[in-house]
Amino acid sequence: MQVFDFFIPSHLKFGIDSLNRAGNIVSSVGNKVFLVTETALLGGEIISHIQNLLAGRKCEVILYDIDIKTFAASSIIDKGAVLARVSYCDVVVGVGGLRALSAAKAIAMLVTNTKSVNDYIDGEMIKEPSIPYIEIPTEARNPFMFNNTFLITDERTRELHILKAANGQPCNVIYDPAVMSDLALPQIMTNVLANAIEGYLSTDSSFLSDMMFLKAIEILSKYLMSAVKDKNSDAVSFLSLSGLMTSMGLSMASTGIIGAVSEVVNQKLRLENSGVASMLLPYVIEFCIPSSVEKLTRVAAAMGISVESMTMLDVAVKVIEHVKKMAEDLELPTKLSDFPLKADDLIDIGDRAKKLDMMNYLPRACSSEELYAILQSAF
């Protein structure tokens, strides 16, 4: 049997209205709170509700909002870290999507590791553990939720980097389906589907992560259309669960080509969720068929695809057809050319994606030429 590691140090609180426990959870960790969120959330009820909950527990709160179009840029991270440090904050709380949460995790790391984040991008060792960090996601898409990694943009080069903080995992995660944004639900959840499939196919997956990924794919396939078309709140809750299970699986495994390319494109277009993941998924599945045809039959079963009396190869093709149909039904982009990208951008996108760590766990090796060919096909 395969040897694997499973370690999730975060205390998870999941369920409708679990956000109401934020005051108790945060105050049990610290009382000088550095609250990091995205500017777009300031006009809504979530942030004010969290502030009231913290005030009720006598917590002092410094609010630091980030325009997600900056994509966790290094200077903004440094500025936040200095403010948290001089204010003697003892806990960082991140609220929002992947970029805001990456910024919050980075700030928690820099409170104790006092050099510029650019120094750590350049290879400086991150020695000290982060101060306590609590995560409150407002979307189901976060492949880094239960580990110590985060996305950062080097403003000097505009390149995307993934850094690892020493003991930087969230000490608590408050995952409330009721606060999940439905503004970009099709893009977010098809991104989750891509993460689950890539995690399942990755070389560092295990039987435990495989169970989580397959269940996440099953739940998502069953409830996505109902959540999007009918605005069914129960279906949205189940989708949140599929996102949670995918994040837990990715604490043991990794995304791959789709994860790397979609983050690079999102950064290039300055978008949080572009829909690139769903568009790339058929092409990446096709690339993975030679090494993953047996696993793809299990993906088909999880999706509810009837595969009776079919060869494994035919089943894999059915999976590709299924995800293409799903994207069409959700009216998502089907080609890279649907985005404000030029064919000349593809080489740069591929080169930047190849530098990300997630490209090291593909089920089959992918050369620069092969990656470029995938992007060309998708264009």
Side-chain angles (χ1 to χ4, degrees):
M1 181 176 288
Q2 179 185 11
V3 175
F4 66 91
D5 290 325
F6 179 60
F7 174 64
I8 298 180
S10 307
H11 185 151
L12 171 68
K13 185 70 70 175
F14 176 86
I16 297 292
D17 294 333
S18 57
L19 182 64
N20 291 332
R21 294 165 174 78
N24 291 342
I25 292 171
V26 175
S27 63
S28 70
V29 177
N31 57 19
K32 297 207 70 172
V33 182
F34 197 74
L35 179 61
V36 181
T37 190
E38 51 198 65
T39 304
L41 292 179
L42 294 184
E45 298 179 358
I46 296 173
I47 300 303
S48 60
H49 183 49
I50 292 173
Q51 289 177 305
N52 290 335
L53 291 170
L54 295 176
R57 301 298 296 182
K58 309 301 182 185
C59 292
E60 299 178 43
V61 180
I62 295 177
L63 180 63
Y64 190 67
D65 65 288
I66 292 173
D67 182 355
I68 60 168
K69 290 184 178 180
T70 63
F71 277 68
S74 46
S75 64
I76 294 172
I77 302 301
D78 284 336
K79 180 182 175 182
V82 170
L83 180 58
R85 197 181 303 124
V86 300
S87 303
Y88 297 99
C89 291
D90 51 12
V91 57
V92 173
V93 177
V95 184
L98 175 59
R99 303 293 170 164
L101 299 178
S102 285
K105 191 180 288 188
I107 289 170
M109 182 270 289
L110 287 175
V111 170
T112 51
N113 295 274
T114 56
K115 294 188 177 182
S116 167
V117 72
N118 287 337
D119 294 323
Y120 300 109
I121 290 174
D122 292 340
E124 182 76 26
M125 292 293 294
I126 300 172
K127 298 177 181 179
E128 300 299 326
S130 304
I131 67 169
Y133 167 58
I134 295 173
E135 191 155 294
I136 305 175
T138 59
E139 61 177 46
R141 180 188 81 103
N142 188 353
F144 309 120
M145 181 180 296
F146 292 110
N147 57 42
N148 62 344
T149 55
F150 55 88
L151 291 171
I152 196 81
T153 299
D154 186 342
E155 284 181 294
R156 301 166 298 180
T157 63
R158 299 305 306 165
E159 286 204 9
L160 192 65
H161 295 267
I162 297 176
L163 295 186
K164 293 186 177 183
N167 298 320
Q169 301 92 335
C171 59
N172 293 83
V173 174
I174 303 172
Y175 200 115
D176 188 341
V179 304
M180 294 294 162
S181 171
D182 63 356
L183 294 178
L185 192 63
Q187 292 94 327
I188 291 169
M189 296 316 304
T190 50
N191 196 313
V192 171
L193 176 64
N195 284 345
I197 291 176
E198 284 206 304
Y200 180 58
L201 300 182
S202 71
T203 57
D204 60 346
S205 66
S206 67
F207 89 93
L208 185 56
S209 66
D210 286 353
M211 287 193 297
M212 294 180 181
F213 291 134
L214 289 174
K215 192 63 179 179
I217 293 168
E218 178 187 335
I219 293 171
L220 195 150
S221 299
K222 183 176 180 180
Y223 291 102
L224 179 56
M225 290 303 174
S226 177
V228 173
K229 302 293 186 182
D230 304 329
K231 306 297 183 183
N232 185 307
S233 59
D234 288 338
V236 172
S237 295
F238 278 109
L239 291 184
S240 298
L241 181 59
S242 72
L244 174 63
M245 296 184 74
T246 299
S247 295
M248 293 179 70
L250 289 174
S251 71
M252 297 170 273
S254 174
T255 57
I257 294 172
I258 300 171
V261 171
S262 61
E263 293 304 340
V264 170
V265 172
N266 287 348
Q267 181 205 33
K268 191 176 186 70
L269 300 180
R270 294 180 175 269
L271 297 172
E272 180 81 358
N273 296 291
S274 64
V276 169
S278 63
M279 187 276 304
L280 283 175
L281 186 53
Y283 300 95
V284 172
I285 291 174
E286 182 178 11
F287 174 78
C288 293
I289 283 176
S291 60
S292 308
V293 65
E294 185 175 348
K295 275 197 163 186
L296 286 170
T297 62
R298 300 190 192 107
V299 170
M303 288 180 163
I305 300 172
S306 177
V307 296
E308 188 176 353
S309 303
M310 295 175 63
T311 67
M312 287 187 179
L313 180 58
D314 288 338
V315 171
V317 172
K318 275 287 187 183
V319 172
I320 294 172
E321 293 173 353
H322 183 82
V323 297
K324 284 183 176 180
K325 181 66 164 53
M326 179 185 294
E328 291 173 2
D329 290 345
L330 293 170
E331 300 180 350
L332 294 171
T334 57
K335 288 285 186 179
L336 275 174
S337 55
D338 293 335
F339 300 96
L341 295 170
K342 301 176 183 177
D344 293 345
D345 294 327
L346 300 183
I347 292 178
D348 180 60
I349 290 170
D351 288 344
R352 290 174 183 258
K354 285 282 286 183
K355 295 177 182 179
L356 296 179
D357 182 65
M358 58 191 74
M359 291 292 292
N360 296 324
Y361 302 97
L362 307 180
R364 59 175 290 210
C366 182
S367 67
S368 296
E369 291 75 17
E370 288 172 317
L371 179 55
Y372 180 58
I374 291 171
L375 296 177
Q376 278 186 310
S377 298
F379 194 79

